[in-house]
């Protein structure tokens, strides 16, 4: 895995690349207690590489090795980051706080080919906009006993987004820590099932 840096509105932002030498098909963000290194630690970046899927994990501003910056919300940062990297419609992944940021970006800007939302928080705030995601591939991953973002949130998303499907993995809010193997396999299957736009 290789550390990379990019300037986003003048702010130095860190990401980890899984060394596939192609434009990343998936861009992974993180929760409030974590950073990009999490996706190294649970083996997700290497599993993607073994499966032939280029991907990167990003440190939000002020997390990990990224400098602090000023954005109205992290959804806006995601849009600016993708623009700075020249990425068009990757799959976006986010847990918890990162899931909220990905969801916020998706309903407001909509440039993505799929979403992986892991127990996103703040779903109620975005509920009226969720129907904008209809028809897009959305994978929801939840821990069976998530007390931070209860399963009720998954049901709210699924009632508005008919193209969303739910996988239960592990128990806790950061469910990828409970069963990294199943989490990584589920993610790779979702990505392999998508029809990539290779242009």
């Amino acid at each position: 895995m290789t550390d990379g840096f990019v300037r986003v509105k003048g702010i130095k932002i860190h990401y980890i690349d899984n060394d596939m030498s192609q434009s990343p098909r998936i861009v992974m963000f993180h929760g409030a207690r974590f950073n990009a290194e999490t996706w190294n630690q649970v083996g997700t970046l290497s599993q993607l590489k073994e499966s032939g899927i280029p991907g990167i994990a990003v440190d939000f501003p002020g997390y990990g090795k990224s400098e602090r910056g000023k954005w109205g919300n992290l959804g806006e940062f995601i849009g600016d980051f993708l623009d700075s990297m020249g990425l068009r419609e990757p799959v976006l992944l986010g847990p918890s706080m990162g899931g909220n940021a990905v969801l916020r970006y998706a309903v407001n800007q909509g440039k993505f080919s799929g979403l992986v939302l892991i127990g996103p928080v703040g779903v109620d705030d975005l509920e009226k906009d969720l129907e904008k995601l209809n028809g897009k591939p959305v994978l929801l991953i939840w821990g069976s006993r998530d007390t931070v973002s209860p399963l009720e949130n998954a049901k709210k998303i699924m009632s508005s987004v008919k193209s969303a499907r739910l996988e239960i993995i592990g128990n806790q809010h950061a469910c990828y820590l409970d069963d990294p193997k199943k989490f990584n396999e589920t993610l790779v299957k979702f990505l392999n099932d998508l029809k990539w736009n290779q242009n």
Side-chain angles (χ1 to χ4, degrees):
M1 306 303 142
T2 304
D3 285 317
F5 291 90
V6 63
R7 290 273 172 190
V8 181
K9 292 201 163 176
I11 304 300
K12 190 176 179 184
I13 297 296
H14 170 252
Y15 62 91
I16 304 172
D17 192 302
N18 73 343
D19 300 331
M20 293 290 293
S21 74
Q22 296 146 283
S23 183
R25 289 295 179 195
I26 179 166
V27 180
M28 300 183 289
F29 298 94
H30 59 83
R33 293 187 296 119
F34 301 93
N35 55 46
E37 186 60 33
T38 302
W39 303 119
N40 223 358
Q41 292 164 352
V42 298
T44 306
L45 283 164
S46 56
Q47 181 72 56
L48 290 170
K49 184 175 182 178
E50 285 171 25
S51 306
I53 300 169
I56 59 173
V58 184
D59 279 331
F60 278 127
Y63 289 82
K65 298 175 184 175
S66 287
E67 294 177 349
R68 293 187 179 278
K70 291 183 179 178
W71 276 270
N73 61 66
L74 289 175
E76 292 175 6
F77 163 75
I78 290 175
D80 290 337
F81 175 83
L82 297 178
D83 287 346
S84 296
M85 292 287 287
L87 297 178
R88 295 184 307 140
E89 302 193 5
V91 174
L92 302 173
L93 174 150
S96 192
M97 172 190 80
N100 177 274
V102 164
L103 202 48
R104 194 174 291 277
Y105 165 79
V107 298
N108 287 316
Q109 300 188 46
K111 296 176 184 175
F112 62 94
S113 55
L115 300 179
V116 182
L117 303 170
I118 309 154
V121 297
V123 172
D124 286 349
D125 298 338
L126 300 167
E127 197 169 1
K128 65 179 181 358
D129 294 319
L130 290 175
E131 61 186 25
K132 294 178 184 177
L133 304 180
N134 252 321
K136 291 282 196 175
V138 178
L139 174 62
L140 306 174
I141 300 178
W142 244 266
S144 62
R145 299 194 198 113
D146 189 338
T147 55
V148 178
S149 179
L151 265 169
E152 193 59 39
N153 281 339
K155 293 171 186 169
K156 284 177 184 173
I157 295 171
M158 292 175 75
S159 68
S160 296
V161 187
K162 303 308 177 191
S163 53
R165 65 181 179 83
L166 174 65
E167 291 278 350
I168 303 295
I169 296 177
N171 300 311
Q172 64 174 314
H173 183 51
C175 58
Y176 42 88
L177 300 180
D178 288 340
D179 193 345
K181 184 173 185 291
K182 183 178 179 185
F183 172 82
N184 291 334
E185 287 172 352
T186 300
L187 176 60
V188 166
K189 183 178 187 311
F190 174 72
L191 293 168
N192 282 335
D193 287 346
L194 289 177
K195 299 291 187 285
W196 294 118
N197 173 9
Q198 299 290 354
N199 295 325

